[in-house]
Amino acid sequence: VTYTGTGSAGTIAHGLGAVPKWYFIKRRSNTGHTEVYHAENTSAPATEHLRLSANSATEDDAQYFNDTDPTSTVFSIGDHVNVNASANTYVAYVFAEVEGYSKFGSYTGNGAADGPFVFTGFKPAWVMIKNTARGADWRINDTTRQTINKSADTSGGFLLLANSNSSEITNEYDIDFLSNGFKLRSSDVYENGDGEAHIYMAFAEAPFKYSNAH
């Protein structure tokens, strides 16, 4: 969705026909951070914001999403310049969950190499994770670069950082991709901080909802 800011809190139509679970907004006509809403960020997610372009923890501030949950027709914006400066132009990427294809949830880390299992209902091809409790990178794992779960004869996985312009991180084995979700395999605080909240965004490799048979 693209829109022009007014400088006053308001709503933007998203056209999904379902309540969004995750969206991020970027100012196009000036510099500024990319602001993120995630439905499981906290118990009151519309009061919080995260930044895809930074590694900062979640922050309570009504200027971003006007402390108002999205609906099946609109999402709300406050008056912060990163989402709604007068006469500035913006783009918002807005996602609702599609059964068997995408899942945007949360989990609590245990700080152990034998980490939590996260059920998505499909085998993920792409997972992005953010520890929202602290300064931590947005970590992207995918099955194109990590083609096999770690074993005695594999060297590990690969990561990209959404908030950084650095090259990929190699031999950083963090998750197993499973048939119905993913399992954390690292004690790193970035994706498995002990007792800390993490959000994730996952997309399927081969959606269960649809058949590839001919």
Side-chain angles (χ1 to χ4, degrees), residues 99-101 119 121-123 178-181 204 206-211:
E99 183 183 358
Y101 178 74
F119 177 79
F122 52 79
K123 182 178 181 180
L178 305 175
S179 63
N180 59 353
F208 284 172
K209 192 173 180 180
Y210 303 100
S211 171

Side-chain angles (χ1 to χ4, degrees), residues 112-140:
D114 184 11
F117 165 72
V118 180
F119 177 79
T120 61
F122 52 79
K123 182 178 181 180
W126 186 96
V127 178
M128 181 160 64
I129 296 170
K130 173 72 172 83
N131 183 333
T132 63
R134 63 167 72 217
D137 294 318
W138 296 78
R139 293 194 154 199
I140 299 173

